[in-house]
Amino acid sequence: MADQNDLITVFVDDKEVAVPKGTNMIEAAFQAGVEIPHYCYHPKLSVVGNCRMCLVELGMPMRDRATGEPVLDEGGQQKIGWMPRPAIACATNAAPGLRIRTNTQVVKDCRNGVMEFLLINHPLDCPICDQAGECGLQEFAIDHGRGYSRFVENKVVKPKRTVLGPRVTLDDERCILCSRCIRFSKEIANDDVLGFVDRGSYSTLTCHPGKKLENNYSLNTVDICPVGALTSTDFRFKMRVWFLKETRSVCTESSVGANTLVGSREGKIYRITPRRNDAVNDTWMTDSGRVLYKQVDSDDRLHGASIKGEPVETETALNRAVEILRGGQAAIVGSGQASVEEQALLKKLAEAVKAVSVNLVAHLGEEDGLLLSADRTPNIRGALVTGLIESLPAEKLDGLAEAIDAGKVTTVLTHREDLRAAGLTDAQLGKISVIYLGTLANDTTRKATVVIPTLTVFEKAGSFVNQQFRLQTFEPAVPGPSAALNDAAALAKITSLLTDGDIPSQPTAVWKELAGTVPVLEGIAFNKIPADGLALDGSAWAGLSFPEKKSLHFEAAQEAATTA
Amino acid sequence: MPVQERRIILKHVDQPDYTTDLDCYLRHGGYEVLRKALQSKPEELCQEVMKSGLRGRGGAGFSSGMKWNFLDRKSGKPIYLICNADESEPGTFKDRQIIHKDPHQLIEGIMVSCFAIQAKQAYIYIRGEFPLGARLLEKALDEARAKNFVGDNILGSGYSCDIVVHRGAGAYICGEETGLIESLEGKRPYPRIKPPFFPAVLGLYQCPTAVNNVETLCNVKHVIDMGGEAFSKIGKPNNTGTRILSVSGHVMKPGYYEFECGAITMGQLIDEVCGGLRPGRELKAIIPGGSSMKVLKAGERYKGKTKDGKEFEWGIRDIPLDFDSMLTAGSMAGSGGIIVMDDSTDMVEALANVNAFYAHESCGQCTPCREGSLWMNKISSRMSHGQARREDADLLESVAGQIAGRTICAFGEACAWPTQSFVDKFRDEFLAKADKSATPEATEPKRAAVPLI
């Protein structure tokens, strides 16, 4: 962060604003409360200045060429040398005393002219365009357009449905050639596949010969497309965006914890888009993270509680679970997919049943250096912070398998983890009673004694701690299946029944206790966690060999990296 | 006294025994200037160019000494020199004569300039439509390398520099210096935004780069030969040296002619040098500096004061042919391509022709030029196809006004100025087109005008 002393003063429409030297003037104007319309400029990409929408009048304090002395007017004020032509704000960096004017007739004419040019060969097919409602052309046409067309010629005809890759479809007629997608592919995704062919107004976006836009970040090009040219093949023609309710969420794909917005209408999710967080994911997210909502309506979704495969009331299942837990030696298997609150409640449950062991399962994968980390769960660090576990989990439950074989464990309560996938055999599962709380059917649920359906991340509130020890919250976007219990509520209920107590499960209540008992969480209230997260002190766990090496805004500490 | 050409650049060109061979060039004193230059200090050579007042011959007429002065010598990065031989401005064909008829003069000019700015490497970016020129240059370069005029340790001076001939693929925009640099780097020739990408600081491969026109570089040779002081006495103050004028259009003897700057007037050029207009024809208009410059209309009067305070009132034939006079007449001397139009010319058709060129050549990077050039082309093409409307004149002017001054490179002005000046000066013709279109025979159903591109 810039020191207060490093700030310089610039003037936007005669309004003073203090910004760090070199700040882009579009950003500086934004700080001064002035919107400068733009298409090609994107805060996270290089500046090309091709849309010409951000033209402003630009002036610098005058200095004598020979002496370097300031030139003063009669009033003793330094004269301003206004440039004879409008300049683009996006390529102008803040310098001391720099002035821009955004409300003069020249600037209005410029915007009006550029808007007209952008629209003459645009198909104006807003009624069937997915971008309608969040389209830069629509917004600025209202603000700066002339409202009627002087164009009587034939429009340029271009391909309407070019398949650029498995997830992106291009409508070339709508393209305004801003080149954001080209720059994103090159600069952020490191996959230089997009380019223009042909010249002038006939310029057409396309993939380089023999290449496809198929990297795991391809859908970001759809997000940053200021118009409806690049469309998500998944979302295309499914829903008008103005009907979508946007809910803050966090991507559960890996420990990066990309900030997201979940778009839903009437209880159904239609898309997930990234939410800007300059400390975590900038304005990007993976393609693979965008399809995670499909688990909500998955064929494997658990819609009702069952005991030994027979459907029962949830209440009955809970009571049966408590009976089983009371009657044997129980082990607990928690999950890195669970929220901080659920992990805290699971810890209580483990204490209540005097669990033989508490295990987590590691889910590892390859890192891509951007927004997909080696740890494919969002909240292993949450389990460390709440004290559910003290060391990093392994991928297989070998210790638990041994304990079952030795007869030391007769009951396993597993929260979201498929025990079969974690290395237990059918024979081992046959020896014990399994209580499963989770959302999807799997080999474990088919063998389990008690199955209690719970909620996905899109259906509940909570928090995760990502690889940077950044505490981030998510909110419910849609309601879950009617018979499903909130994970936290289910865990609290079981513990309450076990202890004859009344354990609250609301995040705010859980946090009241966490803030009082866990040192690094001291003083944190759930409702006060900022939307872009809160950095926790992770130094207590610096000695652990976390699997993550490098992401967009994360680099493993040197020591940890060498011991890993 | 009949007007006399003063040939400096084209001195030997068109002489019966003069060939493009190195031997011939050497017989005529070739590479002596390079020999002399290599014994001087580079800074002194730059000083001479500064003193000479030489202005760029590519179109903008910017001081060559200044351009070299701006080169960022402190960065420690290598300096490049690029010879801009992408002569694509319609009406201009001077560089082609030099390349085709005296390639060694260009090579010597480049090497002298390279030594002056201490360039590490030089490139000749030649347009794709000059395959013969490229072959000639390559042959000449081989000869020059064999004699050590180009390459390592040139003539034992310890200075090394090579020249690479790079052939473009035929795009007008590659004549814009930053577009040219992008193309040379192997990318689409999208001109760069300035600031920050001034070639003198962040040019080829982000290194300081001088981009000079063919004729300019040839002039450098003569500046060093005769000394800056002597060169500055040729022509007029601030308009020094000679200019090669490419005359085309409705004159009896079109061609290329070299004159001292300002030594003759437009009238002398047309009537005496070029043999006058076709019999029985009247002068109607002149485009004085390549198709992108503003058109001059016969019968216009140009009044004003020159820089030294002299009042003047010129007709179109009285305009002296130099940079500043053309500027005071409201146009620009540009690349020296003079297009003469007599009274047989339909100005709407002429503009449609010019607009078709710019619509075809707009690179498509920035919005106003990309969309505006095609739109103007569609309008003027429709007008010349018998479907003009009275409001089209205003529309054309308005569209052009939305382009000029708002684009990344000077192409914006290049495509807007013809339309602005044609419509402004020949408005009655544009309106008459509309009236003619409105007659019954003209309004019979026709296909919408199809653009030429």
Side-chain angles (χ1 to χ4, degrees):
Chain A
M1 273 310 277
D3 196 285
Q4 196 65 31
N5 299 330
D6 294 339
L7 297 183
I8 53 160
T9 306
V10 293
F11 298 83
V12 178
D13 295 338
D14 295 328
K15 220 182 286 173
E16 253 187 75
V17 55
V19 293
K21 193 173 179 203
T23 304
N24 189 291
M25 282 313 288
I26 289 186
E27 305 290 340
F30 186 74
Q31 284 189 33
V34 176
E35 186 195 33
I36 298 180
H38 57 267
Y39 292 107
C40 67
Y41 169 75
H42 187 281
K44 300 293 175 190
L45 299 175
S46 63
V47 169
V48 290
N50 63 28
C51 75
R52 315 309 283 181
M53 194 63 191
C54 67
L55 285 168
V56 292
E57 283 193 69
L58 181 68
M60 283 295 287
M62 275 165 80
R63 282 180 180 280
D64 192 287
R65 277 228 179 130
T67 60
E69 290 295 308
V71 179
L72 305 180
D73 62 13
E74 301 88 45
Q77 294 286 314
Q78 194 167 3
K79 272 192 189 169
I80 304 297
W82 289 97
M83 307 270 270
R85 294 163 159 207
I88 44 174
C90 69
T92 306
N93 295 329
L98 185 132
R99 283 164 189 266
I100 59 172
R101 288 191 196 137
T102 69
N103 51 9
T104 61
Q105 194 53 43
V106 172
V107 176
K108 282 176 191 162
D109 286 348
C110 286
R111 292 172 178 176
N112 188 293
V114 171
M115 266 327 299
E116 179 173 40
F117 284 143
L118 286 175
L119 292 177
I120 56 172
N121 283 308
H122 187 82
L124 301 176
D125 54 353
C126 307
I128 58 150
C129 178
D130 283 312
Q131 191 80 3
E134 53 182 14
C135 173
L137 281 178
Q138 287 183 330
E139 286 165 22
F140 297 141
I142 296 287
D143 293 347
H144 310 293
R146 80 173 60 233
Y148 63 91
S149 177
R150 301 188 290 173
F151 186 76
V152 296
E153 334 294 331
N154 290 334
K155 286 177 190 262
V156 174
V157 175
K158 290 185 192 174
K160 288 293 275 183
R161 53 187 78 77
T162 310
V163 175
L164 290 183
R167 294 174 290 279
V168 181
T169 307
L170 167 69
D171 185 325
D172 236 318
E173 288 187 342
R174 296 176 187 157
C175 177
I176 58 165
L177 305 166
C178 72
S179 82
R180 274 184 178 185
C181 51
I182 297 177
R183 284 175 280 149
F184 171 82
S185 301
K186 207 168 168 173
E187 296 164 15
I188 308 291
N190 297 316
D191 185 25
D192 189 4
V193 294
L194 291 176
F196 292 129
V197 291
D198 293 340
R199 228 159 41 192
S201 193
Y202 299 97
S203 297
T204 305
L205 179 70
T206 188
C207 287
H208 295 158
K211 297 209 171 162
K212 275 187 195 154
L213 179 61
E214 55 188 355
N215 64 60
N216 196 24
Y217 294 87
S218 65
L219 284 169
N220 290 293
T221 61
V222 176
D223 296 333
I224 58 177
C225 183
V227 300
L230 290 166
T231 58
S232 157
T233 310
D234 179 37
F235 181 68
R236 202 168 146 91
F237 303 136
K238 295 264 170 67
M239 181 49 62
R240 309 300 338 208
V241 296
W242 54 82
F243 289 135
L244 291 179
K245 180 185 81 173
E246 293 199 317
T247 310
R248 284 193 301 112
S249 191
V250 173
C251 182
T252 56
E253 192 187 16
S254 75
S255 58
V256 168
N259 292 204
T260 60
L261 284 175
V262 178
S264 63
R265 184 193 181 197
E266 295 181 353
K268 188 167 152 51
I269 299 175
Y270 287 89
R271 67 171 183 186
I272 301 178
T273 49
R275 172 163 57 96
R276 181 169 176 176
N277 186 334
D278 290 349
V280 180
N281 57 311
D282 285 348
T283 54
W284 323 120
M285 74 179 290
T286 57
D287 289 3
S288 40
R290 294 173 198 250
V291 292
L292 292 179
Y293 76 88
K294 301 212 166 172
Q295 62 180 294
V296 171
D297 286 330
S298 161
D299 289 346
D300 290 337
R301 186 76 198 262
L302 295 171
H303 284 282
S306 62
I307 296 175
K308 294 198 171 146
E310 292 301 316
V312 294
E313 291 294 318
T314 314
E315 198 69 25
T316 317
L318 282 170
N319 286 330
R320 184 63 188 277
V322 172
E323 268 173 46
I324 296 171
L325 286 169
R326 279 202 177 119
Q329 291 138 313
I332 304 290
V333 177
S335 169
Q337 292 283 348
S339 68
V340 171
E341 299 75 18
E342 290 157 20
Q343 288 166 343
L345 288 165
L346 188 63
K347 188 183 171 209
K348 279 201 165 175
L349 191 152
E351 284 161 2
V353 296
K354 301 192 178 61
V356 179
S357 65
V358 176
N359 311 272
L360 251 64
V361 182
H363 295 267
L364 301 177
E366 240 176 79
E367 252 182 20
D368 70 356
L370 276 173
L371 295 175
L372 189 60
S373 68
D375 182 352
R376 294 296 159 79
T377 60
N379 200 26
I380 287 292
R381 283 165 181 76
L384 292 168
V385 169
T386 49
L388 180 65
I389 52 170
E390 273 154 20
S391 57
L392 290 177
E395 285 185 276
K396 297 288 176 202
L397 294 166
D398 294 339
L400 183 60
E402 273 171 39
I404 292 170
D405 288 340
K408 288 178 192 160
V409 168
T410 59
T411 303
V412 173
L413 182 143
T414 172
H415 183 209
R416 308 185 78 94
E417 286 295 351
D418 180 357
L419 301 177
R420 286 280 287 109
L424 298 192
T425 61
D426 274 347
Q428 284 162 339
L429 290 186
K431 280 191 198 172
I432 55 170
S433 303
V434 175
I435 302 163
Y436 181 90
L437 289 86
T439 56
L440 297 178
N442 52 40
D443 289 343
T444 303
T445 58
R446 283 183 268 280
K447 289 266 171 192
T449 315
V450 178
V451 173
I452 298 164
T454 60
L455 300 180
T456 65
V457 68
F458 305 106
E459 296 153 345
K460 60 192 178 187
S463 57
F464 293 134
V465 179
N466 82 350
Q467 58 180 354
Q468 300 154 296
F469 278 95
R470 192 176 186 86
L471 178 66
Q472 309 189 104
T473 57
F474 54 90
E475 291 168 355
V478 291
S482 56
L485 271 181
N486 187 318
D487 301 62
L491 295 169
K493 179 82 180 169
I494 292 173
T495 316
S496 300
L497 289 171
L498 282 168
T499 57
D500 287 330
D502 184 16
I503 298 180
S505 69
Q506 291 300 320
T508 39
V510 175
W511 271 93
K512 252 182 210 154
E513 191 174 333
L514 281 174
T517 53
V518 180
V520 294
L521 303 179
E522 200 184 330
I524 300 175
F526 181 76
N527 290 341
K528 299 277 166 63
I529 300 170
D532 62 347
L534 187 67
L536 301 179
D537 177 13
S539 55
W541 297 277
L544 296 177
S545 303
F546 291 107
E548 298 94 341
K549 300 266 182 300
K550 192 180 178 313
S551 307
L552 188 61
H553 286 293
F554 171 83
E555 198 145 355
Q558 211 60 44
E559 285 164 83
T562 46
T563 52
Chain B
M1 196 183 99
V3 280
Q4 278 292 317
E5 274 195 78
R6 170 151 185 200
R7 288 199 168 196
I8 294 178
I9 308 281
L10 302 177
K11 187 171 178 190
H12 305 300
V13 165
D14 298 333
Q15 286 175 1
D17 59 336
Y18 196 75
T19 67
T20 58
D21 291 340
L22 179 61
D23 291 341
C24 177
Y25 188 63
L26 289 174
R27 273 204 305 282
H28 288 81
Y31 290 107
E32 284 308 312
V33 182
L34 176 62
R35 225 176 270 279
K36 181 176 140 192
L38 288 172
Q39 280 150 23
S40 325
K41 283 195 184 136
E43 310 85 69
E44 287 171 10
L45 298 178
C46 288
Q47 267 309 312
E48 290 302 315
V49 175
M50 193 66 131
K51 254 192 261 172
S52 73
L54 177 63
R55 291 172 70 166
R57 293 331 195 215
F62 189 76
S63 158
S64 306
M66 285 279 245
K67 200 178 219 179
W68 288 3
N69 223 1
F70 290 147
L71 285 170
D72 180 7
R73 292 175 167 86
K74 291 190 197 114
S75 65
K77 294 186 207 167
I79 294 175
Y80 294 111
L81 182 127
I82 300 173
C83 169
N84 185 347
D86 192 73
E87 182 177 54
S88 329
E89 180 79 12
T92 314
F93 41 88
K94 61 188 177 65
D95 296 343
R96 178 164 60 173
Q97 309 309 326
I98 299 169
I99 293 165
H100 280 190
K101 295 174 179 168
D102 202 1
H104 279 290
Q105 182 182 199
L106 174 60
I107 291 170
E108 187 176 5
I110 291 175
M111 289 319 295
V112 170
S113 307
C114 280
F115 182 71
I117 63 171
Q118 289 291 296
K120 279 268 181 286
Q121 172 75 47
Y123 298 87
I124 301 175
Y125 189 100
I126 185 164
R127 70 182 296 209
E129 291 88 336
F130 287 173
L132 177 62
R135 279 196 289 274
L136 281 170
L137 279 170
E138 265 157 10
K139 175 177 154 279
L141 269 174
D142 286 342
E143 292 172 340
R145 274 195 209 103
K147 293 266 184 190
N148 198 218
F149 296 127
V150 176
D152 289 337
N153 191 15
I154 296 163
L155 302 175
S157 64
Y159 174 70
S160 305
C161 183
D162 201 5
I163 304 177
V164 170
V165 178
H166 182 94
R167 287 165 68 168
Y172 175 76
I173 198 66
C174 292
E176 201 279 347
E177 55 182 3
T178 55
L180 186 157
I181 287 171
E182 287 278 298
S183 172
L184 198 52
E185 288 181 3
K187 305 177 204 158
R188 276 176 80 85
Y190 278 168
R192 295 173 175 173
I193 45 174
K194 293 147 274 186
F197 297 108
F198 292 109
V201 183
L202 298 170
L204 185 63
Y205 309 121
Q206 301 299 313
C207 296
T209 305
V211 186
N212 290 109
N213 173 258
V214 170
E215 191 188 343
T216 315
L217 289 167
C218 292
N219 266 313
V220 170
K221 176 197 146 177
H222 299 286
V223 167
I224 302 305
D225 187 20
M226 64 180 82
E229 193 79 38
F231 188 91
S232 70
K233 299 217 168 76
I234 307 172
K236 297 205 303 198
N238 201 32
N239 298 270
T240 58
T242 60
R243 280 220 82 170
I244 307 177
L245 304 170
S246 327
V247 187
S248 60
H250 301 146
V251 289
M252 295 306 286
K253 285 198 296 176
Y256 50 93
Y257 304 95
E258 186 174 350
F259 286 98
E260 279 189 41
C261 279
I264 60 164
T265 61
M266 191 66 94
Q268 284 173 306
L269 179 75
I270 295 170
D271 298 329
E272 297 174 35
V273 180
C274 296
L277 299 164
R278 297 181 297 176
R281 290 291 176 190
E282 292 288 320
L283 182 64
K284 185 169 189 179
I286 296 172
I287 302 176
S291 65
S292 57
M293 295 306 155
K294 289 184 177 172
V295 71
L296 302 171
K297 183 183 180 184
E300 278 182 316
R301 304 300 294 172
Y302 308 100
K303 283 184 204 171
K305 261 188 191 170
T306 55
K307 271 187 186 163
D308 44 9
K310 260 190 274 175
E311 281 193 29
F312 65 86
E313 187 183 338
W314 294 327
I316 190 168
R317 282 186 153 85
D318 306 326
I319 305 172
L321 294 172
D322 63 66
F323 294 98
D324 291 344
S325 303
M326 207 56 85
L327 214 54
T328 48
S331 188
M332 273 172 79
S335 59
I338 294 173
I339 304 170
V340 182
M341 290 175 267
D342 68 21
D343 56 358
S344 68
T345 314
D346 180 329
M347 297 311 281
V348 180
E349 304 251 354
L351 179 64
N353 193 324
V354 173
N355 280 348
F357 174 80
Y358 288 107
H360 187 232
E361 294 296 341
S362 169
C363 78
Q365 185 183 198
C366 66
T367 310
C369 159
R370 174 182 73 227
E371 303 297 341
S373 62
L374 183 62
W375 190 5
M376 291 193 303
N377 178 39
K378 284 177 173 173
I379 297 170
S380 53
S381 151
R382 171 167 55 73
M383 291 181 82
S384 62
H385 280 69
Q387 298 189 334
R389 306 171 303 168
R390 278 190 83 83
E391 60 262 45
D392 285 334
D394 288 336
L395 181 57
L396 275 172
E397 265 193 324
S398 160
V399 172
Q402 286 177 184
I403 305 172
R406 302 178 186 179
T407 52
I408 291 175
C409 75
F411 194 109
E413 283 78 21
C415 72
W417 282 348
T419 297
Q420 286 177 328
S421 58
F422 271 68
V423 178
D424 178 37
K425 297 184 179 179
F426 299 94
R427 178 173 289 271
D428 47 346
E429 276 192 52
F430 283 79
L431 296 178
K433 262 281 192 252
D435 297 340
K436 201 172 153 224
S437 300
T439 57
E441 62 268 27
T443 48
E444 69 184 79
K446 272 184 194 156
R447 259 168 56 96
V450 179
L452 294 172
I453 55 176

